[in-house]
Amino acid sequence: FDPTNMGIRRLLEERYQLKVVVSDERGERVVLDRQLDPGQTIATTIPVYGSDVMLQTYIDDVFFQAWRP
């Protein structure tokens, strides 16, 4: 996650909480939940199971985006 490419100025000026939720054949689970400094980037590897997988990101507990890898 790189807030410098998101076009949301607040992520570059204020601390924020980033949460990533995975839904796959093992159910739904939070795989990342961290407070980040303004402009801070984060990278992680997330194991997923099955072919019907969806990842969702939340910023400060507000839905931001979802995608299927």
Side-chain angles (χ1 to χ4, degrees), residues 4-19:
T4 61
N5 294 324
M6 298 295 164
I8 302 173
R9 187 175 181 158
R10 188 181 76 71
L11 299 179
L12 303 175
E13 297 174 346
E14 301 174 24
R15 286 182 54 90
Y16 62 97
Q17 179 183 357
L18 177 67
K19 181 166 45 174

Side-chain angles (χ1 to χ4, degrees), residues 5-60:
N5 294 324
M6 298 295 164
I8 302 173
R9 187 175 181 158
R10 188 181 76 71
L11 299 179
L12 303 175
E13 297 174 346
E14 301 174 24
R15 286 182 54 90
Y16 62 97
Q17 179 183 357
L18 177 67
K19 181 166 45 174
V20 178
V21 177
V22 170
S23 298
D24 61 15
E25 71 180 21
R26 293 190 177 182
E28 185 174 287
R29 63 192 183 280
V30 175
V31 294
L32 179 76
D33 191 359
R34 293 213 184 135
Q35 282 282 358
L36 300 173
D37 290 327
Q40 182 179 350
T41 62
I42 188 166
T44 188
T45 301
I46 300 168
V48 296
Y49 304 93
S51 59
D52 187 23
V53 175
M54 182 167 57
L55 291 97
Q56 301 172 66
T57 55
Y58 294 82
I59 297 174
D60 294 330

